[in-house]
Amino acid sequence: MTAAPAQVGKGAGAPGRDTAPRRVNFDLKQSGIYIALAITVVIFTVLTGGDLLAPQNLSNIIVQYSYILVLAIGMVLIIIAGHIDLSVGSVVAASGAFAAVMMVEMDLAWPIAVVATLAFGALVGAWQGYWVAYFGIPAFIVTLAGMLLFRAVTYMILGNKGIGPFPEEIRTIANGFIPGWMGNIGLGSALGGADLFSIIVGVLVVVAMAIVQFRTRAGRIRYSQAVDPMWLFLLKVIVPAVLVLFLVVQLARFRNLPWVLVLLAALVVGYTMVTNRAVFGRQIYAVGGNLQAATLSGVKVKSVVFWLFVNMGVLSAVAGLIFAGRLNLAGPTAGNSFELDAIAAAFIGGAAVQGGVGKVVGAITGGLIMGVINNGMGLLGAQTETVMLVKGAVLLAAVAFDVWSKRRTAGAR
């Protein structure tokens, strides 16, 4: 018998030896979204005379757009699997109304009401997930019906009035800031004082990011995979670190880190780990990338789709609590057009129309682009129709770029 040839590529080579070829690993589709965010920030910083990056304004962007970012996390997973959810705005409203009745009218303890509201969102997601996954109705139709049904449920709960005020704890989660546990530290006459605890948290986050990137690089080298040149790798480590520290320092100069930012960070880290490392996350990409191949390989497609919609319902309930807490009122018109902003954030963040492609961090970045546009044009005093025009153009450009990049890739094969 002839000996099998030695494998070359992934897994080949002696562990610990740097045998991987060196090349610049620049993915325009993945990196372009971060460049687009940087360009958007620079443009509006110049146009607003620096007001966009003022400490209070940065805090406003995070607090005012947090519920859209929460929805974008769930929406990008739905889109990766090849589906869509048009009902999230109505579910946000219904969840807020449900929470208001329990906390305000029934005077239930707020932790119990929060758990019940999350369970309500899960039931809504299960209802829609059943029709999509097990009955085979397209998600577009199911969630379009859900958009009408759960808006009707909101009116049935609230009538034509709002319910409030919410408990202080709910308002704190939506609008509050972490306490200054360690006092302030002076940053010079130009910057003034800043919360020391917030800065320490920012430094620890940056260190953790760097450790993860270095460990990832070491793992790729160990298995003889291609890595970036050291100068490019260090650039990818240093630039995000500087940006994170700048954001943290600006927030620490205002009123510390918003609680909702802590919640968002936990969600981003958790869902990123699920999509990158968990079996369920890989199954989501398999379902969206090639449904037939996923089925043949043993993926329980119906179960994956069902739980994705349950997850979307829970995140919609979280967004509903945040939005109602921020307004201190649950109203029947809450959540209008939230689904459009969440979908736009996912597509601008690099999700593919056909499914199988997308990242949680990309969706957050896409949402931040929309938030910066909204905030920047508000600072400039732009009319509503102008803001809508710009947001629509950005969304169209993002999807057009996705289609163009796919055609370019297909033509190069």
Side-chain angles (χ1 to χ4, degrees):
M1 295 179 63
T2 304
Q7 292 184 349
V8 178
K10 183 177 179 179
R17 292 181 57 190
D18 188 355
T19 59
R22 294 292 175 263
R23 68 166 182 251
V24 176
N25 186 22
F26 182 80
D27 187 342
L28 181 60
K29 181 174 175 55
Q30 294 298 329
S31 302
I33 180 63
Y34 307 113
I35 297 174
L37 175 61
I39 293 174
T40 304
V41 170
V42 169
I43 290 174
F44 281 105
T45 299
V46 173
L47 293 177
T48 60
D51 290 343
L52 180 77
L53 298 181
Q56 182 174 355
N57 193 63
L58 287 176
S59 181
N60 289 340
I61 292 175
I62 294 171
V63 172
Q64 293 174 4
Y65 221 66
S66 57
Y67 37 88
I68 299 298
L69 298 180
V70 171
L71 292 175
I73 294 173
M75 187 64 71
V76 73
L77 300 183
I78 294 284
I79 292 174
I80 290 171
H83 297 284
I84 199 75
D85 192 341
L86 301 177
S87 68
V88 294
S90 296
V91 179
V92 165
S95 300
F98 183 80
V101 169
M102 289 189 296
M103 295 183 196
V104 179
E105 295 191 346
M106 298 177 62
D107 199 27
L108 287 178
W110 72 268
I112 298 175
V114 167
V115 172
T117 302
L118 297 181
F120 172 80
L123 288 175
V124 169
W127 163 265
Q128 301 194 115
Y130 167 77
W131 292 108
V132 176
Y134 294 104
F135 210 79
I137 302 177
F140 180 89
I141 301 300
V142 172
T143 58
L144 179 60
M147 180 173 66
L148 301 175
L149 287 171
F150 298 114
R151 183 63 62 180
V153 168
T154 305
Y155 277 101
M156 291 171 63
I157 295 175
L158 297 177
N160 203 22
K161 60 181 177 64
I163 297 179
F166 277 76
E168 182 180 354
E169 292 82 0
I170 301 298
R171 300 199 304 270
T172 299
I173 293 173
N175 288 318
F177 301 83
I178 64 174
W181 286 305
M182 302 177 67
N184 282 6
I185 182 174
L187 299 178
S189 57
L191 298 179
D195 179 59
L196 177 59
F197 179 78
S198 297
I199 294 178
I200 292 175
V201 170
V203 171
L204 292 177
V205 168
V206 167
V207 171
M209 290 169 55
I211 291 174
V212 169
Q213 288 172 294
F214 273 98
R215 290 185 63 181
T216 301
R217 177 183 173 88
R220 292 180 65 88
I221 292 175
R222 188 181 308 118
Y223 290 102
S224 301
Q225 296 177 347
V227 295
D228 293 323
M230 183 56 72
W231 68 267
L232 181 58
F233 171 75
L234 291 177
L235 188 66
K236 289 182 177 181
V237 173
I238 294 172
V239 171
V242 171
L243 294 178
V244 169
L245 284 177
F246 173 79
L247 175 63
V248 170
V249 168
Q250 291 293 82
L251 294 175
R253 290 175 59 203
F254 178 53
R255 293 177 61 186
N256 308 339
L257 301 178
W259 277 116
V260 74
L261 177 60
V262 177
L263 173 62
L264 269 172
L267 289 174
V268 170
V269 171
Y271 279 92
T272 298
M273 292 181 65
V274 168
T275 54
N276 290 347
R277 299 181 181 274
V279 173
F280 183 74
R282 300 182 187 279
Q283 290 176 340
I284 296 172
Y285 285 96
V287 170
N290 191 322
L291 180 60
Q292 184 177 5
T295 303
L296 293 175
S297 63
V299 175
K300 297 180 180 179
V301 174
K302 293 180 180 180
S303 177
V304 170
V305 173
F306 174 81
W307 287 109
L308 278 176
F309 277 94
V310 172
N311 175 73
M312 186 73 255
V314 172
L315 289 178
S316 297
V318 172
L321 287 168
I322 294 173
F323 186 70
R326 178 173 172 265
L327 296 183
N328 201 21
L329 182 75
T333 60
N336 279 338
S337 299
F338 282 13
E339 63 277 351
L340 302 182
D341 284 336
I343 293 169
F347 282 129
I348 293 173
V353 179
Q354 296 85 358
V357 177
K359 290 184 177 181
V360 171
V361 175
I364 293 295
T365 306
L368 288 175
I369 290 177
M370 302 292 282
V372 169
I373 291 174
N374 272 335
N375 182 269
M377 299 196 76
L379 292 175
L380 295 173
Q383 299 296 320
T384 303
E385 60 270 20
T386 305
V387 178
M388 296 174 66
L389 179 67
V390 173
K391 289 167 64 177
V394 170
L395 174 59
L396 180 61
V399 177
F401 176 76
D402 173 58
V403 174
W404 171 80
S405 63
K406 280 185 172 58
R407 290 177 178 175
R408 182 186 178 194
T409 302
R413 291 176 180 174

